[in-house]
Every structure is written in structure tokens, then in C-alpha cells.
Amino acid sequence: MRTGSALTWHDGGSTAVVPHGTVLSVDLTKVPGRNDVREIGVRFEPAAGAHRGSAVHIDDVELI
């Protein structure tokens, strides 16, 4: 996510995705400037040895 007027990126770490679904969450408690979040991004990278043609399905997005 990016925060503040300087648009500083903060890495939330990685989460392994399993075939039957994975819930991703972002803990903002340790992010400086979390009251001024400008962007949130998620990058999907193939696992080592993964084959082309994978798909990502997003069922729900919720900000709480």
C-alpha cells in the first residue's frame, strides 16, 4: 500500500495461495500514515514450477 503525500510503499509480506481458495487480509496497524492510505495493490506471482494459464477469481472485497 502507498501512504502519505510522498506515496511511500509499505510491503505487507506474502501469502501462499492454495487451490481451494485463500483469504487475503492486510493488517494496517503497523503501517505509518495508515490514516492516509492512497493505494492498495496485490501482486500475484506464479509459484516455482507453475504452469501458464492460471486464473485468479476475486469473490469479494471488503474494507473494514
Side-chain angles (χ1 to χ4, degrees):
M1 70 196 64
R2 282 181 155 180
T3 62
S5 60
L7 295 175
T8 304
W9 277 109
H10 302 279
D11 185 355
S14 62
T15 300
V17 177
V18 297
H20 299 294
T22 300
V23 174
L24 300 176
S25 62
V26 179
D27 182 358
L28 301 177
T29 59
K30 296 180 182 176
V31 174
R34 69 178 180 263
N35 294 328
D36 192 16
V37 173
R38 306 286 179 105
E39 297 178 36
I40 296 176
V42 177
R43 179 173 53 198
F44 295 95
E45 297 179 353
H51 300 287
R52 296 177 66 106
S54 299
V56 175
H57 301 277
I58 298 175
D59 293 328
D60 186 27
V61 175
E62 181 178 350
L63 300 175
I64 55 173

